[in-house]
Every structure is written in C-alpha cells, then in structure tokens.
Amino acid sequence: MLIAGSCHCGNISFQLRWLPEPTEITARSCTCTFCTKHGGVWTACPTGELTVSIRDPARRSRYTFGTKTAEFHACSNCGAVPVVTSQIDGATYAVVNVNAFEGVDSSLVTRAPANFDGEDEKVRLARRKRNWIGRVTVLEGDA
C-alpha cells in the first residue's frame, strides 16, 4: 500500500510504502506536551520505505527537545508536523503523523495512547530502531 501525506500547505510531503499490505495501521498518540499540542499521532512500518520531500527547505523548521535524539519536521508556513526523524548508528529512522495522511480509510487506523516517560536514551533509540521506518530518503528542493 502506498500512503501519501503532507503538511497542510504541501511543503513537507511523504510517500510511505507499507509492506506487506496492512489490515490495520496502529498509531501512537504520544502524551508528551509537544505531541499533544501539535496533534502528533505517529505510525511506522519497520518493513516499509519512506520518501520525504521538502519543497522549500527554508520553510521547514526542525525542533528537538528532551533527549534531543529526534527531529520534528515542522512546516514554518502552515505549522503542521507530518514527520519525525532520528539518526541512529549513521542511519535515518522515521515515523509519520497519521493526521497528515491523504486518502486513507480512517477505519484502518487504530489509535492508542503512548507514554515514553522514563525511557533512557539507550532504550529509546533501541525501540526506535526496532519499530520506526528504517529505509528513509529525504529529498530537499528540486532534488
């Protein structure tokens, strides 16, 4: 299944090839204050492939907090946050916001709260390496 998504204005978009075809897309409603305030409901397909396209990199801001091991890619034009990336052992891992999906049947998405308080950095990075998308390409500008 190919899932398209983007911020509201389309400056930051993504194509997620979900392999194999999902019967359910599990999404985590993170309870941290950033995700709560920005509507972050994250999903990943560890066996999938993600391509992120940033039309105007000057209108993309990156926000980090806490352990500073994840970058929230926010569009400075429309304010939406469709993608989060994390650099682990020289590779890029990512999750996408299901609220940025376009044309996906909402009955396919199951949302559940998630709380990662108390995780140390080592545990957090190991969880991301297991559960996040590990084949990520980021294209910027006319690339």
Side-chain angles (χ1 to χ4, degrees), residues 103-120:
V104 174
D105 183 350
S106 62
S107 68
L108 194 60
V109 179
T110 303
R111 298 167 187 240
N115 185 317
F116 304 112
D117 291 347
E119 275 186 337
D120 67 23

Side-chain angles (χ1 to χ4, degrees), residues 30-123:
C30 182
T31 58
C32 80
T33 55
F34 182 84
C35 291
T36 299
K37 291 178 185 249
H38 287 84
V41 182
W42 310 103
T43 195
C45 176
T47 57
E49 299 174 20
L50 178 68
T51 301
V52 179
S53 299
I54 302 165
R55 189 177 349 161
D56 182 356
R59 292 187 348 204
R60 183 258 326 260
S61 65
R62 299 176 196 195
Y63 181 70
T64 61
F65 63 98
T67 61
K68 301 206 183 301
T69 58
E71 287 189 329
F72 291 77
H73 297 264
C75 179
S76 60
N77 188 52
C78 69
V81 184
V83 178
V84 179
T85 59
S86 183
Q87 297 297 316
I88 306 169
D89 298 331
T92 302
Y93 291 81
V95 291
V96 295
N97 191 341
V98 300
N99 291 324
F101 282 5
E102 297 167 358
V104 174
D105 183 350
S106 62
S107 68
L108 194 60
V109 179
T110 303
R111 298 167 187 240
N115 185 317
F116 304 112
D117 291 347
E119 275 186 337
D120 67 23
E121 186 174 320
K122 182 178 179 181
V123 169

